[in-house]
Every structure is written in C-alpha cells, then in structure tokens.
Amino acid sequence: MTKVLGMGNALVDVLAIIENDKMLELLELPKGSMQLIDDKKFEILTKEINKLETNIVSGGSAANTIIGLSQLGIETGFLGRIGKDSYGKVFRSDLSKYHVNSHLTEADEASGVASTFISKDGERTFGTYLGTAAKLSANDLQADDFKGYKYFYIEGYLVQSHDLIRKAIILAKEAGAKVILDLASYNVVEENRDFLLEIIPKYADIVFANEEEARSLLGVDPEEAVSILAKSAEIAIVKMGSKGSWIQQGEEKVLVPAYSVNCVDTTGAGDLYASGFIYGLIRGRSLAASGQIGTTLAARVIQYIGAKVHDDDWVEIFDTIKKMK
C-alpha cells in the first residue's frame, strides 16, 4: 500500500469568526497573512480571541493534508514537535483519532498555537505562535522515520529552517520517496525565494502553490508560473481560489474549474486540495480528475469552520469521486 509521510509545524488551531476587519487592524495583522508572533503578542491575541466563540482543533498545513489523506483511506504518518501540555495532547489525540502514524518529538515546552481570525468573506488571518513546533530540527530526524513511505509531503512554513529541509529531503530520497513541496504562504516565499529556487529543481517532484505564492517566487501570472515550475518538477499545481487551478506534467497542462459554494472559512482549502490531488495521483487518476478530487475536498471544507471535512460528508464525497473520469 502506498504511504504518505508529512512534515510540518504541529500546531493547534484556535479559530474564531470576527464581525469586521477592524480587529485585524488593531492587532496589526495584515488580512490574509500568516504572521509569526512572540510570547507577548501571543498573550495579546489570546486575550482578544478568547472574547469570541472559538473552535480548538489540531492544525498546521501538513497535518491538515495528512489527516485528509487518512480520511480518504491512505496510510499516513506525520513528523513534528509538540509540547507536554494540553495543546500537545489535543494534537496527538487528533493524529490517533484519524489513524495517522505518529513520528512526534515531545518536549517540555509550550506547543505551537495558530490564532486564526476568520473574516466574514471567509478569508483567514493567522497569528502563529510556533512554540516548540518551530524547534523541530535536523537532529530530530531519523532514517527509520522515512522507511516505507512512497511520498514525503513538506509544508512551506518549514522552509525557513534550511538545515531541516535539506536533511529531510535527503532522508526521504534515500528511502525511495518522492518529495512534495507546498509553498504555504507568500510571505514565507518572499523571505526564502533563493533557497526555494535552489531546492525545487534539485529535489522537488511535485510542487503546490497558490497564485500569490507563485507570483512571489517567479513574478509571473499563474498559467505561466505552472509551466515554469513544471520544467523543474515532475508535476506543478498553481491554485487560484474561485478561478480554479492550473496543473501541468510535462507538456500536458489542464485548467480545473473551482466549484461555487457558500464559503464560511477558507482554513484548510489548499491543504485539502492537496489531499485530494495526491489521493488521485496514488489511485492512478488523470491530472484533471486528481485536480477535481482536490477541488471537491476544498469546496467541501470551506463550507465549515476549521480544516476538517465532516465525517458525515465522506459517503457523498466518495460517490462523487467514483463518477469522475
């Protein structure tokens, strides 16, 4: 059976809908961004978000994708670092709930928390306190963690740790796994552009980006970006939200339309798109069908708060997938 290992920041999402975007201005959080915050800012954000109705779930981009794959019936694992606290217990418990193999390093430190402010249009703004999640290092990785996995999925938020990424990619390749890189955030791409332009041609087999990330990396529009990336990687995907997604492998390039649904919260849309696409790839589906599966999951998850597809939706989702060509 094909197995997928993910590596990312082991975060717990604290999600809340805000009435208007003035709160973001007051908290100095640019709408739609992911801002890394320190202890002091975390205290301020926690105080404000606790005034709202919140939902607390395991999160982190790679973990969301891996859990989505597990819900699709793919055997998965996750590499990350958590603290010995209540948030760490939430994270570990969720991996167990969704039958994800745990490759977690546990430390006597605070776990990472993403305070997630959801605007009325569904756009998410993150104030991310990485805590011990950010201390995942090359020394935490063991060759045995990678054995038996066919694909290794890396969230772009980890790209800032160059030594970690290099060692992880080398261990994955030595274990015979293909490397999947999701660029994750436009500001992370801007800060690590040279590093990404170095490692993508050398190591990445599949690259996911949204249009902002692609523009930050390459300075071109999505269609041109996917073609440039497809020259460096085996498969390239550039997502454009409501405008759909471009996918290219070699000379084959397809545009997959998005679905029109009621968007409540875009948290997890890109992560679940990746779940669906990778699932389609594993099952031998075409680029277009794989993109449609990803789009189906993304469209489903944005209709709810949080980055998990509801359990009672899966029968309908699998029925939809079976009908795709």
Side-chain angles (χ1 to χ4, degrees), residues 261-293:
V261 297
N262 178 40
C263 178
V264 174
D265 169 22
T266 58
T267 304
D271 306 333
L272 270 295
Y273 179 101
S275 301
F277 185 87
I278 295 166
Y279 171 82
L281 196 65
I282 289 171
R283 294 293 186 236
R285 307 298 286 270
S286 67
L287 292 183
S290 297
Q292 288 169 2
I293 297 169

Side-chain angles (χ1 to χ4, degrees), residues 127-312:
T128 303
Y129 175 72
L130 291 175
T132 197
K135 296 181 181 179
L136 183 68
S137 71
N139 292 331
D140 292 320
L141 305 180
Q142 305 296 325
D144 285 348
D145 290 327
F146 296 81
K147 288 183 179 177
Y149 289 99
K150 178 75 176 291
Y151 293 97
F152 176 51
Y153 179 90
I154 310 167
E155 68 173 64
Y157 294 117
L158 293 181
V159 165
Q160 296 170 106
S161 180
H162 296 185
D163 290 343
L164 170 67
I165 295 297
R166 288 185 194 281
K167 183 173 180 181
I169 287 173
I170 289 169
L171 290 175
K173 290 289 187 180
E174 287 176 349
K178 290 192 174 186
V179 171
I180 307 172
L181 176 64
D182 193 316
L183 298 188
S185 173
Y186 71 89
N187 47 334
V188 173
V189 173
E190 288 174 354
E191 293 166 7
N192 298 275
R193 185 172 181 271
D194 290 343
F195 178 67
L196 287 166
L197 290 173
E198 175 199 339
I199 66 167
I200 288 172
K202 286 184 180 179
Y203 302 112
D205 297 287
I206 301 170
V207 178
F208 287 92
N210 65 29
E211 58 184 320
E212 289 181 330
E213 294 153 8
R215 191 168 287 110
S216 294
L217 183 69
L218 300 170
V220 297
D221 65 33
E223 184 177 0
E224 187 175 352
V226 79
S227 294
I228 293 171
L229 288 170
K231 292 176 181 177
S232 298
E234 182 182 337
I235 301 174
I237 304 98
V238 177
K239 302 161 290 180
M240 303 176 292
S242 62
K243 294 174 286 185
S245 56
W246 283 106
I247 305 168
Q248 186 163 344
Q249 180 177 26
E251 296 302 315
E252 182 185 1
K253 179 163 64 174
V254 297
L255 175 63
V256 177
Y259 299 143
S260 179
V261 297
N262 178 40
C263 178
V264 174
D265 169 22
T266 58
T267 304
D271 306 333
L272 270 295
Y273 179 101
S275 301
F277 185 87
I278 295 166
Y279 171 82
L281 196 65
I282 289 171
R283 294 293 186 236
R285 307 298 286 270
S286 67
L287 292 183
S290 297
Q292 288 169 2
I293 297 169
T295 300
T296 297
L297 266 63
R300 187 69 62 153
V301 79
I302 66 174
Q303 296 179 61
Y304 307 111
I305 298 294
K308 304 287 191 302
V309 174
H310 289 198
D311 291 344
D312 54 6

